[in-house]
């Protein structure tokens, strides 16, 4: 189903009309917003054909998954963004895909989002009796996409601090697995943010950037700074998690080394004792010490001296 909102300049009001009633020629003051969230593939193609969208733009716009990008043709611009739809960073099911085709009068939006609250934020608001320019809607959507990351990144800072305290006091394999899961999610969203940051970074340094045809320089800089800050925050949190993982691995490795050191010392002490016991346990007739009435005690004394001497040697070397 195609949801079409049409601003009629003569009545100065918004109307929801069917796609068939859309005028062939739009007046200069008319505004059109086509919401294709619930449209079928056939209806999407019908809309794209109606506005003569270039095949390359139409193909990218229709895809369910596409990396963030900006592409411009003479009449329409294509902007693809990705928001974060999951409640936190413990899982990454899918992004909120925001596909926008816009001109000075027309906005065609296709938003695929599993979160009802985020979907509401990604829906432009139309005030009764007010004629908003299309770039205001696009600006609202860009800010909503950046906000979908910012809110969760700010909340994650407290989670990370608590996790760091727990790891320093009583680290566990369960917390280690949680940190690895967080790192995986942050790495994925970091890629999305890098794409989106580069879109606006390129616009800042290109004098003829297509974004500057619709947005002012301060607006584009604001978009870039928001996504650059988000990208830096994910880098920072990822590095902090990596430090915690490495710290836990180092602590675990140190604990294992301490246990192995104790086992090694015990083995080193008992090796000569085992040798003496094995030597006099051999079944040979001619072993001189077998006929010595005090041979048993001499053997025990030798074992005791070797064992205690080994302990003193380890203590002298500060090995324990």
């Amino acid at each position: 189903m195609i949801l079409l909102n049409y601003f009629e300049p003569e009545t100065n009001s918004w109307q929801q009309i069917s796609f068939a009633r859309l005028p062939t020629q739009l007046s200069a003051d008319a505004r059109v917003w086509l919401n294709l969230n619930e449209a079928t593939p056939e209806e999407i193609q019908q809309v794209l054909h109606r506005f003569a969208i270039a095949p390359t733009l139409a193909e990218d716009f229709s895809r369910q998954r596409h990396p963030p990008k900006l592409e411009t043709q003479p009449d329409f611009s294509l902007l693809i963004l990705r928001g974060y739809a999951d409640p936190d960073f413990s899982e990454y099911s899918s992004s909120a895909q925001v596909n926008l085709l816009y001109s000075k009068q027309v906005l065609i939006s296709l938003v695929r989002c599993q979160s009802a609250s985020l979907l509401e934020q990604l829906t432009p608001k139309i005030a009764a009796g007010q004629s908003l320019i299309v770039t205001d809607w696009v600006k609202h959507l860009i800010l909503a996409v950046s906000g979908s990351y910012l809110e969760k990144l700010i909340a994650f800072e407290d989670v990370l601090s608590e996790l760091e305290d727990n790891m320093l006091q009583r680290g566990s394999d369960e917390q280690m697995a949680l940190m690895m899961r967080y790192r995986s999610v942050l790495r994925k969203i970091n890629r999305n943010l890098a794409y989106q940051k580069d879109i606006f970074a390129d616009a800042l340094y290109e004098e003829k950037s297509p974004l500057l045809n619709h947005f002012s320089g301060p607006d584009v800089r604001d978009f870039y700074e928001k996504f650059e800050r988000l990208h830096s925050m994910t880098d920072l949190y990822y590095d902090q998690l990596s430090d915690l993982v490495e710290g836990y691995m180092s602590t675990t490795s140190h604990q294992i080394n301490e246990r192995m050191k104790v086992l090694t010392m015990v083995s080193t002490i008992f090796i000569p004792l085992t040798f003496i016991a094995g030597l006099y346990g051999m079944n040979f007739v001619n072993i001189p010490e077998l006929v010595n009435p005090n041979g048993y005690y001499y053997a025990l004394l030798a074992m005791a001296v070797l064992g205690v001497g080994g302990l003193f040697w380890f203590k002298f070397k500060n090995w324990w």
Side-chain angles (χ1 to χ4, degrees), residues 129-198:
Q130 183 180 7
S131 174
L132 293 176
I133 59 176
V134 171
T135 51
D136 286 340
W137 297 339
V138 178
K139 180 178 179 180
H140 165 81
L141 291 169
I142 294 174
L143 296 178
V145 168
S146 65
S148 69
Y149 294 95
L150 181 60
E151 179 183 356
K152 298 176 179 65
L153 283 170
I154 292 176
F156 184 69
E157 186 173 1
D158 295 332
V159 175
L160 185 57
S161 298
E162 182 180 356
L163 186 59
E164 184 175 8
D165 293 339
N166 292 336
M167 288 299 295
L168 291 176
Q169 296 174 4
R170 52 184 184 283
S172 64
D173 291 341
E174 291 76 11
Q175 292 173 334
M176 177 71 169
L178 180 61
M179 289 192 300
M180 297 298 292
R181 190 158 61 245
Y182 281 144
R183 284 208 316 170
S184 175
V185 174
L186 287 172
R187 186 166 55 246
K188 292 174 183 176
I189 68 172
N190 187 269
R191 289 197 296 266
N192 292 339
L193 292 170
Y195 282 129
Q196 293 169 123
K197 179 192 72 171
D198 290 343

Side-chain angles (χ1 to χ4, degrees), residues 255-275:
Q255 293 173 348
I256 292 174
N257 289 338
E258 288 296 317
R259 296 188 182 100
M260 291 302 298
K261 183 171 71 174
V262 173
L263 292 175
T264 302
M265 288 190 295
V266 171
S267 300
T268 304
I269 291 172
F270 277 93
I271 284 174
L273 308 186
T274 305
F275 170 75

Side-chain angles (χ1 to χ4, degrees), residues 29-200:
D29 296 330
R31 299 289 184 270
V32 179
W33 170 36
L34 295 103
N35 185 344
L36 304 183
N37 295 354
E38 301 180 5
T40 63
E42 292 76 16
E43 290 174 331
I44 293 175
Q45 294 303 318
Q46 183 182 0
V47 171
L48 298 178
H49 179 73
R50 161 66 177 77
F51 290 98
I53 304 299
T56 54
L57 296 187
E59 181 181 0
D60 291 342
F61 177 83
S62 303
R63 288 183 178 178
Q64 290 190 356
R65 288 181 56 83
H66 195 288
K69 69 173 295 185
L70 172 67
E71 186 175 348
T72 300
Q73 298 291 343
D75 296 328
F76 278 86
S77 296
L78 171 66
L79 179 62
I80 300 178
L81 300 173
R82 283 184 178 178
Y84 191 73
D86 291 307
D88 54 39
F89 294 142
S90 61
E91 61 180 351
Y92 182 86
S93 54
S94 63
S95 300
Q97 183 88 10
V98 181
N99 297 351
L100 304 175
L101 276 168
Y102 62 94
S103 65
K104 292 183 178 180
Q105 294 181 271
V106 179
L107 171 65
I108 305 172
S109 65
L110 176 58
V111 180
R112 296 183 173 93
C113 178
Q114 63 180 4
S115 171
S117 59
L118 180 57
L119 182 60
E120 183 179 358
Q121 298 175 27
L122 294 173
T123 302
K125 303 299 186 293
I126 296 179
Q130 183 180 7
S131 174
L132 293 176
I133 59 176
V134 171
T135 51
D136 286 340
W137 297 339
V138 178
K139 180 178 179 180
H140 165 81
L141 291 169
I142 294 174
L143 296 178
V145 168
S146 65
S148 69
Y149 294 95
L150 181 60
E151 179 183 356
K152 298 176 179 65
L153 283 170
I154 292 176
F156 184 69
E157 186 173 1
D158 295 332
V159 175
L160 185 57
S161 298
E162 182 180 356
L163 186 59
E164 184 175 8
D165 293 339
N166 292 336
M167 288 299 295
L168 291 176
Q169 296 174 4
R170 52 184 184 283
S172 64
D173 291 341
E174 291 76 11
Q175 292 173 334
M176 177 71 169
L178 180 61
M179 289 192 300
M180 297 298 292
R181 190 158 61 245
Y182 281 144
R183 284 208 316 170
S184 175
V185 174
L186 287 172
R187 186 166 55 246
K188 292 174 183 176
I189 68 172
N190 187 269
R191 289 197 296 266
N192 292 339
L193 292 170
Y195 282 129
Q196 293 169 123
K197 179 192 72 171
D198 290 343
I199 289 175
F200 302 110

Side-chain angles (χ1 to χ4, degrees), residues 238-310:
Y238 183 85
D239 290 341
Q240 288 179 337
L241 285 170
S242 298
D243 291 342
L244 287 177
V245 170
E246 292 177 3
Y248 178 73
M249 295 295 293
S250 299
T251 302
T252 304
S253 178
H254 177 70
Q255 293 173 348
I256 292 174
N257 289 338
E258 288 296 317
R259 296 188 182 100
M260 291 302 298
K261 183 171 71 174
V262 173
L263 292 175
T264 302
M265 288 190 295
V266 171
S267 300
T268 304
I269 291 172
F270 277 93
I271 284 174
L273 308 186
T274 305
F275 170 75
I276 293 175
L279 179 65
Y280 289 105
M282 293 187 294
N283 294 323
F284 292 106
V285 175
N286 296 319
I287 297 180
E289 289 81 2
L290 291 180
V291 297
N292 190 324
N294 297 319
Y296 171 72
Y297 302 103
Y298 294 152
L300 288 182
L301 179 61
M303 291 181 180
V305 169
L306 288 174
V308 174

